[in-house]
């Protein structure tokens, strides 16, 4: 797999590139946001093989890492993993809203990073190859419309842009309104893994959905069990 590593510290990049190479990755190193965008641009136009994953450090010298993430997402659907020292939920939600697929908080364990890289690449491949059950229908829940074939969501007719996993999570809950989905079940069906580290990612995606749809009560937390969708009345 070809991986784009966006990291301004050459020593960190060299050490991480060596580890990734030992695990079968071909690494392209970009030292700043502009180099990252230049590396992605030709692939976006099909001029060279696309990257399997982009590993984006947010502490870049020339541009805000969040801005770079948003610009990358406009060029390519390649999974983006943010690397950040910001551990608060709001920062993570902001990154997911811009199109990041996952995040790793510094300092991180190399094993965890590798697991997340493999996980997002598997999810991306599965999303391209599989549509999931009931993909020939449209779900309408009050003011919320979920078009499964086109993966579009709207509220009162206004489109709401969602990331791949945000849509998958919403579609899963919406197909059985009122039914409580266990956390383990959601992680298995949406993330296609049982890795315990995904639990925090689920919480952030739920918070992001509530924010984007502007319906905090749409997805209810069932403490100690999981989540369910509470269908709006209008």
């Amino acid at each position: 797999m070809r991986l784009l590593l966006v990291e301004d510290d050459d020593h960190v990049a060299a050490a991480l590139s060596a580890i990734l190479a030992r695990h079968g990755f071909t690494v392209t190193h970009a030292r700043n946001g502009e180099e990252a965008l230049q590396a992605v641009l030709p692939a976006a136009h099909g001029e060279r093989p696309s990257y399997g994953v982009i590993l984006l450090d947010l502490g870049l010298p020339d541009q805000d890492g969040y801005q770079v993430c948003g610009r990358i997402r406009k060029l390519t659907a390649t999974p983006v993993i943010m690397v950040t020292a910001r551990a608060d939920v709001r920062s993570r939600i902001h990154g997911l809203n811009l199109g990041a697929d996952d995040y790793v908080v510094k300092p991180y364990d190399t094993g965890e990073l590798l697991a997340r890289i493999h996980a997002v690449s598997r999810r991306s491949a599965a999303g391209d190859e599989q549509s999931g059950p009931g993909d020939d229908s449209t779900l309408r829940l009050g003011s919320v419309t979920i078009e499964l074939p086109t993966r579009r969501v709207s509220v009162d007719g206004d489109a709401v842009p969602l990331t791949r996993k945000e849509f998958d999570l919403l579609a899963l809950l919406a197909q059985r309104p009122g039914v409580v989905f266990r956390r383990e079940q959601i992680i298995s069906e949406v993330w296609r893994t049982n890795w315990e580290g995904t639990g925090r990612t689920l919480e952030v995606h739920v918070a992001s959905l509530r924010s984007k749809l502007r319906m905090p009560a749409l997805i209810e937390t069932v403490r100690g069990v999981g989540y369910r969708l509470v269908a709006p009345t209008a």
Side-chain angles (χ1 to χ4, degrees), residues 163-178:
T163 66
R164 183 195 302 269
K165 289 298 125 182
E166 287 171 350
F167 180 89
D168 291 344
L169 172 58
L170 178 62
L172 175 65
L173 297 177
Q175 290 184 53
R176 300 177 67 188

Side-chain angles (χ1 to χ4, degrees), residues 119 122-123 165 169 172-173 181-203 225-227:
R122 286 197 304 270
R123 297 171 207 160
K165 289 298 125 182
L169 172 58
L172 175 65
L173 297 177
F181 285 80
R182 292 179 293 104
R183 293 168 59 87
E184 296 83 356
Q185 179 183 0
I186 296 173
I187 290 171
S188 175
E189 295 194 27
V190 175
W191 277 267
R192 302 179 187 276
T193 181
N194 59 3
W195 183 46
E196 293 181 358
T198 311
R200 188 58 176 160
T201 300
L202 169 58
E203 294 177 6
V225 182
Y227 299 93

Side-chain angles (χ1 to χ4, degrees), residues 45-110:
H45 293 293
E47 298 176 14
R48 71 171 79 163
S50 61
Y51 297 101
V53 174
I54 298 173
L55 192 60
L56 174 64
D57 191 290
L58 294 183
L60 301 176
D62 61 334
Q63 300 181 44
D64 178 79
Y66 287 119
Q67 179 184 9
V68 174
C69 179
R71 293 178 67 185
I72 287 175
R73 183 49 70 234
K74 291 179 180 178
L75 295 171
T76 176
T78 301
V80 175
I81 300 178
M82 298 187 308
V83 181
T84 176
R86 308 168 193 174
D88 61 288
V89 172
R90 181 171 296 182
S91 295
R92 299 176 189 179
I93 291 175
H94 182 47
L96 293 171
N97 285 342
L98 291 172
D101 295 85
D102 205 347
Y103 57 85
V104 177
V105 178
K106 294 180 179 180
Y108 55 80
D109 177 80
T110 303

Side-chain angles (χ1 to χ4, degrees), residues 113-233:
L113 177 62
L114 289 168
R116 290 186 181 273
I117 290 172
H118 285 298
V120 297
S121 63
R122 286 197 304 270
R123 297 171 207 160
S124 178
D128 291 338
E129 297 172 2
Q130 301 179 25
S131 301
D135 59 356
D136 60 346
S137 62
T138 297
L139 304 177
R140 292 182 175 85
L141 303 164
S143 60
V144 181
T145 300
I146 305 171
E147 300 176 19
L148 297 177
T150 59
R151 300 178 66 85
R152 294 178 180 174
V153 175
S154 61
V155 177
D156 290 324
D158 296 327
V160 179
L162 300 181
T163 66
R164 183 195 302 269
K165 289 298 125 182
E166 287 171 350
F167 180 89
D168 291 344
L169 172 58
L170 178 62
L172 175 65
L173 297 177
Q175 290 184 53
R176 300 177 67 188
V179 174
V180 179
F181 285 80
R182 292 179 293 104
R183 293 168 59 87
E184 296 83 356
Q185 179 183 0
I186 296 173
I187 290 171
S188 175
E189 295 194 27
V190 175
W191 277 267
R192 302 179 187 276
T193 181
N194 59 3
W195 183 46
E196 293 181 358
T198 311
R200 188 58 176 160
T201 300
L202 169 58
E203 294 177 6
V204 174
H205 276 72
V206 168
S208 181
L209 275 175
R210 289 168 172 161
S211 174
K212 284 187 175 183
L213 297 171
R214 298 182 180 179
M215 293 182 175
L218 181 66
I219 301 176
E220 179 183 356
T221 301
V222 181
R223 191 173 300 278
V225 182
Y227 299 93
R228 66 180 168 193
L229 186 141
V230 180
T233 58

